[in-house]
Amino acid sequence: MNGRVLRIELRRSVAPWAGLVVLVPALAFLYLLNGAWWSGTTAWTAQWTPLALWTRSLLFYLWPLAVGLGALQGLRDHRSKMSELLTSTPRPARHRAATLAGATAITLASAFMFLVLVGGVQVLAHTEYTHLGWLPISLVGALSLVAGAVLGMGAGRALPSPLTPPALAMGAFLFTVLMYMSLGRTETSTADGFPSTEPNRISLLSPTVEDAREAFVTLSASVHVGQTLWLLGMAATGFALLVAATPRARLTALTPVLAGAVIALLVLPADARRMYVVDEAAAELVCDGPVCVTKTQQARLANLAGPGKEALRLLHGALGDQAPASIRENTAVPPEGSTPKWSRKTVLLDFDDGIIAAAKGEELTRALIAKGMVPGCTPVGWSGFGGDEYAQTIAVGWVLGDLRPLGGTPAKMRGEVEAETRPVWKKLKALPRAEQVSRINAMRAAALSCEGDPFEVLSGGEPQ
């Protein structure tokens, strides 16, 4: 396939339109809809790995489109009634198939990589941490579109019906839905008994991926290898169907995709903890004295160090030897729905935590004191507002001597926080100092162990 032939193919085929159909909806989805991909440390323009994961997640919709457009391209010779004429020419069928598949593959891969480039330019402006660990995620995403389109072309050539493209597109969409919602999920429960689900090995046959949870969580190498083998088998079957001329040849053409699926399932990890793994290099800590963050957030260290050291000093003055001695970004990735695990000697922070994300300067010091006193026991991945937040407000007020809502408290909840905490604060301050310290220590023990309600302890009750 020389350059001249390729240029002609690009002009006379739907390949350029296929690239636009992938690129334009993807950019519209990312820029016109306000979702999780725009917020926090895992925004699609914040770090390289979230960029790769968020753009891969768009394949939930884009991959079925690529399959359907490929099938439409495969129908071209049948629609023009040139099939018999082309088979009578001396040019080998594989040459015509390579030209047809190559033009579409180039435009789809280029469109997807341009999407990644748009995000990458913004990532460069937002982070100091650069690496290449994200690249395999995006390369496999581009290969997914190419393999899906080539498979669609082969199916369109083998089943030359106007119904083939929409049927294949709907079938591909149904496949991604089943991988995301039922066939690709395994029901489980956390150690605390909360029901949950996690991805299984079969889900990794889908071109899409889970949403980005942490900036330092990535796909393992075995996932990249297994998915690549599966997609190469899919592309090989599509190409074989393009050149097949007999029913027996078309049946034989299914061998690569079946073999690819079997081999991929042998390579892909069965344990969800080996699918999405912590990138050790990205999670490596960068420290300024007792205050540490991961490499992905090292640009935040300068603004965090001062308030962090001040928070540790105030905590030590209030708690003495029971106070935490360091602050570091939390790099644990527990299962969804599990109870968090906290340290007595280290304040673990998450930059996506509401009271941390909204705080700067003095307010950041207050937020860090709050996390050191009552880190919060809401199950991982859940949200809520109640006893932990009330206890945080009182604990910070006890350390600093003034009671007021934390900076990250939602505006509509500030009145409720004041109404719930003010009576308990007055009762606590009316106690002798020794009794206050005892109650604060009991509250902190309940908060760190996630056994009991710290606000109930402050109110004078016993931990449950």
Side-chain angles (χ1 to χ4, degrees), residues 338-369:
S338 62
T339 299
K341 305 294 182 185
W342 303 116
S343 168
R344 182 175 292 274
K345 289 299 182 181
T346 302
V347 179
L348 300 175
L349 67 92
D350 184 345
F351 287 108
D352 288 330
D353 187 289
I355 65 171
I356 299 293
K360 294 181 180 179
E362 181 184 347
E363 279 301 325
L364 182 55
T365 298
R366 293 177 63 89
L368 292 170
I369 293 173

Side-chain angles (χ1 to χ4, degrees), residues 170-413:
M170 288 303 299
F173 181 70
L174 180 62
F175 174 77
T176 60
V177 169
L178 291 176
M179 291 298 101
Y180 188 78
M181 297 182 64
S182 57
L183 291 180
R185 309 290 299 185
T186 299
E187 293 187 3
T188 183
S189 61
T190 65
D192 308 285
F194 293 113
S196 182
T197 64
E198 60 184 24
N200 58 33
R201 181 184 297 172
I202 297 176
S203 71
L204 297 176
L205 296 179
S206 171
T208 190
V209 296
E210 300 281 297
D211 295 344
R213 282 185 56 189
E214 300 287 351
F216 45 78
V217 172
T218 186
L219 291 169
S220 65
S222 57
V223 172
H224 299 319
V225 173
Q227 290 181 334
T228 299
L229 292 172
W230 155 241
L231 293 170
L232 289 176
M234 184 188 299
T237 286
F239 190 81
L241 287 172
L242 274 175
V243 300
T246 64
R248 182 176 180 179
R250 295 188 183 102
L251 188 62
T252 304
L254 299 177
T255 302
V257 70
L258 296 176
V262 171
I263 297 172
L265 290 174
L266 293 175
V267 173
L268 293 170
D271 187 348
R273 291 170 295 183
R274 293 175 52 227
M275 299 175 189
Y276 294 86
V277 298
V278 173
D279 182 341
E280 298 296 340
E284 183 180 341
L285 295 178
V286 180
C287 300
D288 183 342
V291 182
C292 301
V293 298
T294 63
K295 276 193 173 181
T296 60
Q297 305 301 328
Q298 60 189 1
R300 299 174 182 254
L301 183 58
N303 294 327
L304 178 68
K309 293 173 183 177
E310 178 66 9
L312 290 175
R313 185 187 68 79
L314 292 168
L315 285 169
H316 186 269
L319 300 174
D321 293 339
Q322 299 297 314
S326 62
I327 296 173
R328 69 173 175 84
E329 186 179 352
N330 193 359
T331 57
V333 188
E336 291 274 343
S338 62
T339 299
K341 305 294 182 185
W342 303 116
S343 168
R344 182 175 292 274
K345 289 299 182 181
T346 302
V347 179
L348 300 175
L349 67 92
D350 184 345
F351 287 108
D352 288 330
D353 187 289
I355 65 171
I356 299 293
K360 294 181 180 179
E362 181 184 347
E363 279 301 325
L364 182 55
T365 298
R366 293 177 63 89
L368 292 170
I369 293 173
K371 299 303 291 184
M373 298 290 280
V374 185
C377 291
T378 302
V380 176
W382 296 21
S383 61
F385 193 95
D388 283 343
E389 287 72 24
Y390 302 153
Q392 284 178 340
T393 302
I394 295 174
V396 174
W398 183 80
V399 172
L400 298 179
D402 66 322
L403 182 72
R404 57 187 173 91
L406 294 167
T409 304
K412 62 181 180 181
M413 303 300 297

